[in-house]
Amino acid sequence: MKKGYFITFEGADGSGKTTQLNMLKTYLIEQGFDVVTTREPGAMETGKEIRNILLNNETSISEKCEMFLFLADRANHVEMFIEPNLSAGKIILCDRHTDSTIAYQGYGRGRDIKLLKELNDIAVGNIEPDLTLLYDVSAETAMERVGKEKDRMEASGAEFHKRVREGYLELQKENPERIKIINADNSINEVFEDTKKVINKLLQES
Ligand code: TYD
């Protein structure tokens, strides 16, 4: 059976990871790979409704509700999209996954990280990314890129986003094999060169 790959894209709001994901999709398709792209939250039909609740700036929700909604979206996404596409041998490029919950709800909001890891495990079962690209960006660059129109998460403040970034770097230290850091302060093309290097290594090794 052809082996699929599950590759996740992580980083702060404004890190430019979505642009890189789309560039990588085109590049891999040109090389003849079978690629699908997706994201959390909000890839599936029900996920779109969950996403609206999570990111809507005009309504407030409790932090616990926020946590469960991200996890509910993930559980549905893994079962309905990730697992079948992996079994079909596709390369899945996924914009955010489990590490976002640890970085944002754990380090950002200050919720219990051990508990969040257990809840993530329940949501994903035995699915783990083959590779995670972490786009690390300075707070200044990130704020410039996000601009003035902020969603509910982006509007959580500078201190919150500083903790999120530190959380991601901590996660990378804990999982150096899976998570590769990419300096996202560089130009789009430089960042893409770094992205390709990491991906080509993964595809050549397997
Ligand atoms: P989105 O518009 O997809 O942002 P981005 O383009 O930066 O990925 O919004 C997703 C937001 O939700 C983003 O601020 C990160 C946050 N988030 C969490 O807080 N926890 C999670 O588990 C996930 C998946 C996302």
Side-chain angles (χ1 to χ4, degrees):
M1 204 178 75
K2 210 164 52 142
K3 184 186 177 308
Y5 290 95
F6 180 31
I7 301 170
T8 58
F9 288 63
E10 295 281 358
D13 298 85
S15 61
K17 64 185 166 41
T18 310
T19 306
Q20 295 296 323
L21 185 153
N22 288 324
M23 288 168 82
L24 187 64
K25 177 187 183 185
T26 308
Y27 170 77
L28 290 175
I29 289 173
E30 280 166 6
Q31 316 272 311
F33 289 104
D34 203 352
V35 185
V36 288
T37 59
T38 188
R39 69 170 175 186
E40 291 182 10
M44 316 300 295
E45 250 345 279
T46 33
K48 290 200 181 96
E49 293 180 33
I50 297 178
R51 182 181 171 86
N52 286 340
I53 301 172
L54 279 164
L55 301 185
N56 187 344
N57 230 338
E58 279 149 32
T59 48
S60 57
I61 53 173
S62 77
E63 285 187 12
K64 246 190 227 173
C65 176
E66 174 187 294
M67 171 185 84
F68 280 119
L69 286 178
F70 279 119
L71 288 158
D73 174 73
R74 178 161 309 126
N76 193 51
H77 185 217
V78 167
E79 193 176 325
M80 313 281 276
F81 187 89
I82 307 286
E83 283 180 337
N85 278 293
L86 265 183
S87 302
K90 311 244 182 194
I91 296 184
I92 303 171
L93 305 181
C94 181
D95 201 341
R96 297 196 181 282
H97 188 59
T98 44
D99 299 317
S100 283
T101 302
I102 307 300
Y104 282 77
Q105 281 64 55
Y107 287 88
R109 300 273 191 243
R111 304 201 71 81
D112 185 327
I113 287 168
K114 187 166 163 284
L115 177 67
L116 287 173
K117 286 185 178 168
E118 286 166 13
L119 292 169
N120 258 337
D121 286 346
I122 295 174
V124 302
N126 57 6
I127 296 287
E128 204 199 356
D130 296 291
L131 172 72
T132 297
L133 298 166
L134 170 57
Y135 292 90
D136 184 51
V137 68
S138 66
E140 296 74 40
T141 312
M143 282 303 109
E144 255 169 52
R145 288 184 188 159
V146 167
K148 285 207 178 82
E149 293 265 314
K150 294 186 173 61
D151 66 34
R152 200 182 61 82
M153 296 303 296
E154 286 163 355
S156 297
E159 280 306 308
F160 172 84
H161 287 284
K162 195 165 160 258
R163 290 195 297 277
V164 169
R165 182 184 185 191
E166 282 161 10
Y168 270 129
L169 294 175
E170 199 52 47
L171 277 170
Q172 196 279 329
K173 277 192 212 134
E174 287 168 21
N175 303 277
E177 284 302 309
R178 172 174 66 85
I179 306 181
K180 303 294 177 203
I181 298 194
I182 293 187
N183 180 351
D185 276 315
N186 292 333
S187 73
I188 290 183
N189 287 336
E190 282 167 325
V191 177
F192 189 52
E193 286 307 311
D194 291 341
T195 301
K196 278 193 294 190
K197 265 185 221 150
V198 179
I199 292 291
N200 286 333
K201 192 157 178 283
L202 171 82
L203 296 177
Q204 276 156 18
E205 275 170 3
S206 335

